[in-house]
Amino acid sequence: MDGERWSRLLECLPEVEEAVGPPLAVAFMGSDDFAAKRGQAWLWWPGSRQRAGGYVAFDGRYPADWGLLLVMNDMVIEKVGAGGTAIMSSLVRRFEIRPFVLRQRDELDAAGVLEFIESLELATPKH
């Protein structure tokens, strides 16, 4: 994913309420970088006005401040950039977007990420 695609994707992401707990990122990653366990991830911080989205290096580990990882190929990134988040849940159901929920439900809820996860029609554990 490049900066232009990321900008289009960011424009599609929903507004969420300010988080009441520590912020967690939604990380977007290309399928090639995910398979190689190295490359870059693009971070969106729903519920945090202090943290700007942008890219970070990925070394195969998931940092403690990542709440959700969405892995997609270039074609799917283009689809989401053109169609917005309304099409994301169907892409998740068809496994064109591979989601990985990385934190517990209460952490995701406090960080403002749970609402987005539920909009993708993903079930989360109720711990």
Side-chain angles (χ1 to χ4, degrees), residues 47-61:
S48 176
R49 302 197 196 303
Q50 289 75 35
R51 294 199 178 191
Y55 74 92
V56 296
F58 175 67
D59 63 2
R61 293 177 286 183

Side-chain angles (χ1 to χ4, degrees), residues 6 27 32 35 37 42 47 52 54 93 99 108 124:
W6 174 244
D32 291 341
K37 293 188 176 20
W42 294 79
R93 280 193 307 275
L108 296 166
T124 57

Side-chain angles (χ1 to χ4, degrees), residues 68-87:
L68 175 67
L69 171 63
L70 297 174
V71 178
M72 55 187 82
N73 64 30
D74 287 342
M75 185 173 60
V76 173
I77 293 167
E78 288 298 323
K79 285 180 185 179
V80 173
T85 56
I87 67 166

Side-chain angles (χ1 to χ4, degrees), residues 3-30:
E4 182 181 331
R5 284 182 179 163
W6 174 244
S7 294
R8 283 198 317 265
L9 188 59
L10 265 183
E11 290 171 5
C12 297
L13 296 174
E15 288 290 324
V16 295
E17 293 182 24
E18 188 74 18
V20 295
L24 289 174
V26 174
F28 294 81
M29 186 179 304

Side-chain angles (χ1 to χ4, degrees), residues 35 38 48-49 53 67 84 95 104 110 122 125:
R38 64 180 169 80
S48 176
R49 302 197 196 303
F95 216 51
Q104 298 296 324
L122 295 174

